[in-house]
Amino acid sequence: TQLLEQSPQFLSIQEGENLTVYCNSSSVFSSLQWYRQEPGEGPVLLVTVVTGGEVKKLKRLTFQFGDARKDSSLHITAAQPGDTGLYLCAGEGGTSYGKLTFGQGTILTVHP
Amino acid sequence: KAGVTQTPRYLIKTRGQQVTLSCSPISGHRSVSWYQQTPGQGLQFLFEYFSETQRNKGNFPGRFSGRQFSNSRSEMNVSTLELGDSALYLCASNPGQTLRGQYFGPGTRLTVT
């Protein structure tokens, strides 16, 4: 059974601070995906990383896939109140046909 | 393009009843996956359908079933509802290619009393 451990579970910071969310597993994934979910809505795909060591940037968000494709991180620079939400990492195997293994999520609150 | 739509958005059922949830994927997407989200267990995979065939199934009891129609729309059914089935049920669609991410609908909030 593939498991993803996401940390921290909760993060409460002030506007302008930087933060990093980690996603770790003992299993190798073909891809690691990051989602953001707001209350009452479904998760929204932020990024998919596929290659070991890959780094992707999305404005103030930087996503990294570990060299061994077992871990990933999400770094937010100069957080804003609009970044508040539930951040989820999800791993996908090469032939898993739509089956994503999700981490438990990180609830981020950015205070003005 | 319109996003993934799910109906109904909210549902209240009694223990022992059955329920059917509906999902319409993004136009052109042939893969539909279903997930259950609860505060305790997080997001858990139920099953995935592609071209009317179930390709993958999670570790849920047989009370949970699904199907996909020729227009890619999908339904999931839960029979003999239990209190523990109370959850947000999410549907996600994908063109059918792996490693490209999933596009989720807003979910159906099911409450079992």
Side-chain angles (χ1 to χ4, degrees):
Chain A
T1 303
Q2 294 180 313
L3 294 173
L4 270 172
E5 293 185 7
Q6 192 172 337
S7 62
Q9 191 176 351
F10 300 96
L11 206 47
S12 180
I13 62 173
Q14 293 296 126
E15 182 176 1
E17 293 184 5
N18 301 333
L19 66 111
T20 303
V21 179
Y22 299 93
C23 191
N24 297 292
S25 175
S26 58
S27 304
V28 175
F29 289 99
S30 297
S31 81
L32 224 298
Q33 300 161 21
W34 286 89
Y35 294 82
R36 180 181 162 201
Q37 185 178 20
E38 301 201 30
E41 300 294 331
V44 174
L45 178 66
L46 296 174
V47 77
T48 300
V49 284
V50 177
T51 306
E54 183 176 5
V55 177
K56 281 191 175 179
K57 291 191 176 184
L58 188 65
K59 295 183 181 178
R60 294 176 294 99
L61 278 59
T62 301
F63 305 87
Q64 187 161 6
F65 201 11
D67 291 340
R69 292 186 292 140
K70 293 182 179 181
D71 56 88
S72 181
S73 64
L74 156 61
H75 183 79
I76 300 179
T77 303
Q80 300 176 358
D83 295 327
T84 294
L86 173 66
Y87 288 82
L88 295 155
C89 65
E92 182 177 16
T95 57
S96 59
Y97 299 129
K99 179 181 179 180
L100 295 178
T101 299
F102 279 88
Q104 284 296 96
T106 295
I107 298 175
L108 171 65
T109 304
V110 182
H111 301 280
Chain B
K1 273 186 181 179
V4 177
T5 57
Q6 292 187 245
T7 56
R9 289 293 309 273
Y10 303 92
L11 207 48
I12 299 175
K13 289 287 187 178
T14 304
R15 270 181 302 175
Q17 290 186 315
Q18 74 166 18
V19 67
T20 299
L21 312 181
S22 182
C23 171
S24 292
I26 292 172
S27 177
H29 285 193
R30 297 166 65 189
S31 168
V32 174
S33 301
W34 288 88
Y35 291 82
Q36 181 195 65
Q37 186 175 28
T38 59
Q41 299 298 318
L43 272 141
Q44 293 186 290
F45 173 77
L46 282 157
F47 28 66
E48 188 261 3
Y49 288 88
F50 179 84
S51 293
E52 303 178 67
T53 300
Q54 186 182 90
R55 294 195 299 186
N56 208 346
K57 189 176 188 302
N59 297 321
F60 278 82
R63 300 185 296 107
F64 292 81
S65 63
R67 59 177 175 168
Q68 186 180 34
F69 302 95
S70 58
N71 61 359
S72 293
R73 190 177 70 85
S74 178
E75 290 181 347
M76 69 162 281
N77 184 278
V78 188
S79 62
T80 319
L81 284 166
E82 300 177 0
L83 294 178
D85 296 334
S86 294
L88 181 67
Y89 289 89
L90 292 159
C91 165
S93 77
N94 173 280
Q97 303 161 313
T98 57
L99 313 183
R100 296 294 180 91
Q102 300 284 334
Y103 296 86
F104 283 84
T108 294
R109 172 72 63 187
L110 171 64
T111 302
V112 182
T113 61

